[in-house]
Amino acid sequence: MTKKTLKIVSILMIIVLGALLFGYQQVEKYADRPLTIKQEKIFTLPAGTGRVALETLLIKEQIIDDSYLFPWLLRIEPELAQFKAGTYRFTPGMTVQEMLKLLKSGKEAQFSIRFVEGSRLRDWLVALQQAQYMKHSLAGKSESEIAVALGLDEKAPLEGWFYPDTYLYTAGNTDLSLLKRANQRMQKAVDQIWQGRAPSLPYKTVEDMLTMASIIEKETAINDERSKVASVFINRLRIGMRMQTDPTVIYGMGDAYIGNISKKDLETATPYNTYVISGLPPTPIAMPGLASIEAAAHPAKTSYLYFVADGKGGHTFSTNLENHNKAVRAYREVLKNKNEK
């Protein structure tokens, strides 16, 4: 090889190396380029999606621009091409490289659903039905069918037996699996509290304690009052006095309840109307929170037999009917003054 030829080859190599370096730098700059999204984007990558199909999907959903650099990035950094099927959350500012690393990690987007204390099973089922990216399998099923699906006896009451909390799930999780988690948590919590309950409580079964907890949950949202409310109902049960609690009437009315309770409603017998029946209703009337279960298991030691709202967010507790009637009149006066303003 002549000196002239060697010189030409050297120049060509420099040009090629320069071009390769320039190309590599362009690909790296592309990798650090932010996605084109302006707000959070949920992206589902189907199973079996290859490199070309991924690029097509990303462009179609306006997550990246159409660029010849994308396939080159996957060639230069082949580990980024090991993406996994799933549903992912992309955020504004995320780079192309960060997106591909997320797809490789398999860390799917998590979604949340909140079940509040005092809500009912029917409320939960509606929320589950409306939950996005969840696989729905319970629509149209009866309570007994749901019980069987949960692995419980078909006659097992479900009301009250799900732990209220915020639950996280990934796309494709079933509503049944989430209910199982909530049921198992409640079973565990109730069993532990039942084992450590105060002595001589008028409960025959753990279900009785949970039923009491559900009533407490519906009667007050103030933590300091829960054990006092529990004491009122415990004291009534001990002397054979009816519980006479409005939430049980409402529950027994079902869809007939439209926001008000009439005298006729209080006198109409249902299995849950504690103005008519003696003792506890047959099942819980809502999903109680942990604080209410603890209150049912450890009621305050009081002589209270009555309580009524005080118009200020709390309740006034009384040991006798005379004082209770005074508290009722005081409550009505507070309401009257509010309405006149």
Side-chain angles (χ1 to χ4, degrees):
M1 183 179 295
T2 66
K3 290 183 177 181
K4 184 178 181 180
T5 302
L6 185 61
K7 185 177 181 180
I8 293 172
V9 170
S10 298
I11 292 171
L12 288 175
M13 288 181 64
I14 291 172
I15 292 172
V16 170
L17 288 173
L20 288 175
L21 178 60
F22 177 77
Y24 178 79
Q25 290 174 337
Q26 291 301 108
V27 172
E28 288 300 300
K29 285 181 180 179
Y30 175 77
D32 289 333
R33 185 184 299 177
L35 304 180
T36 58
I37 58 176
K38 302 300 181 183
Q39 58 187 11
E40 182 178 276
K41 175 76 174 180
I42 301 298
F43 174 76
T44 298
L45 181 63
T49 304
R51 299 184 182 191
V52 175
L54 171 62
E55 182 181 9
T56 301
L57 274 175
L58 292 172
I59 294 171
K60 181 180 178 182
E61 298 198 25
Q62 299 181 330
I63 296 170
I64 63 171
D65 290 325
D66 189 357
S67 172
Y68 71 94
L69 294 170
F70 184 82
W72 277 106
L73 174 60
L74 297 182
R75 289 189 183 97
I76 291 173
E77 298 188 45
E79 68 277 4
L80 295 178
Q82 299 172 7
F83 32 80
K84 300 173 184 176
T87 298
Y88 298 88
R89 178 178 279 108
F90 300 156
T91 56
M94 177 181 284
T95 66
V96 173
Q97 186 178 58
E98 289 171 340
M99 173 198 69
L100 290 171
K101 285 182 177 180
L102 178 62
L103 295 179
K104 176 189 174 183
S105 73
K107 294 179 180 178
E108 294 189 65
Q110 288 195 319
F111 305 93
S112 65
I113 186 168
R114 170 68 177 165
F115 298 115
V116 298
E117 295 86 347
S119 55
R120 301 182 187 180
L121 176 61
R122 69 181 187 185
D123 302 321
W124 284 45
L125 295 177
V126 170
L128 287 169
Q129 187 63 30
Q130 296 174 346
Q132 290 185 315
Y133 303 101
M134 182 175 286
K135 185 176 180 181
H136 304 291
S137 63
L138 299 177
K141 289 189 180 295
S142 65
E143 187 169 328
S144 60
E145 289 173 327
I146 295 174
V148 171
L150 288 168
L152 307 173
D153 186 277
E154 64 177 351
K155 296 182 180 179
L158 298 182
E159 195 74 88
W161 282 102
F162 299 96
Y163 195 97
D165 202 352
T166 297
Y167 290 87
L168 300 177
Y169 65 93
T170 54
N173 284 173
T174 65
D175 44 13
L176 179 62
S177 66
L178 194 145
L179 274 187
K180 280 184 178 179
R181 286 162 56 193
N183 177 250
Q184 290 168 357
R185 283 189 66 187
M186 184 61 93
Q187 291 275 5
K188 182 178 180 180
V190 170
D191 288 345
Q192 288 179 343
I193 295 173
W194 175 255
Q195 295 301 321
R197 69 190 184 280
S200 303
L201 294 175
Y203 305 139
K204 295 179 181 179
T205 65
V206 66
E207 177 106 357
D208 286 347
M209 183 185 74
L210 191 62
T211 298
M212 176 67 81
S214 72
I215 294 172
I216 296 167
E217 189 68 59
K218 298 299 289 187
E219 285 286 6
T220 183
I222 301 176
N223 279 333
D224 292 343
E225 287 191 350
R226 295 182 197 275
S227 63
K228 292 180 183 179
V229 170
S231 75
V232 171
F233 293 131
I234 291 295
N235 291 339
R236 288 190 171 199
L237 289 175
R238 281 174 172 159
I239 64 175
M241 183 178 176
R242 287 177 178 164
M243 294 181 69
Q244 296 182 323
T245 170
D246 291 356
T248 63
V249 179
I250 293 170
Y251 189 84
M253 291 173 67
D255 293 336
Y257 177 71
I258 56 175
N260 294 301
I261 304 176
S262 67
K263 182 179 180 181
K264 181 181 178 181
D265 295 328
L266 296 178
E267 296 172 347
T268 300
T270 74
Y272 291 87
N273 186 348
T274 53
Y275 284 83
V276 176
I277 66 169
S278 297
L280 289 159
T283 71
I285 61 171
M287 310 297 178
L290 196 61
S292 291
I293 302 173
E294 289 282 5
H298 301 93
K301 294 180 179 180
T302 76
S303 299
Y304 296 138
L305 288 173
Y306 305 91
F307 66 95
V308 66
D310 59 12
K312 302 174 184 177
H315 294 83
T316 300
F317 294 83
S318 305
T319 60
N320 58 73
L321 186 57
E322 181 181 356
N323 288 340
H324 175 64
N325 288 336
K326 289 180 182 178
V328 171
R329 288 193 294 270
Y331 171 61
R332 289 174 178 168
E333 188 65 26
V334 170
L335 290 184
K336 179 181 177 182
N337 291 336
K338 285 183 178 180
N339 292 333
E340 290 177 349
K341 289 182 179 180

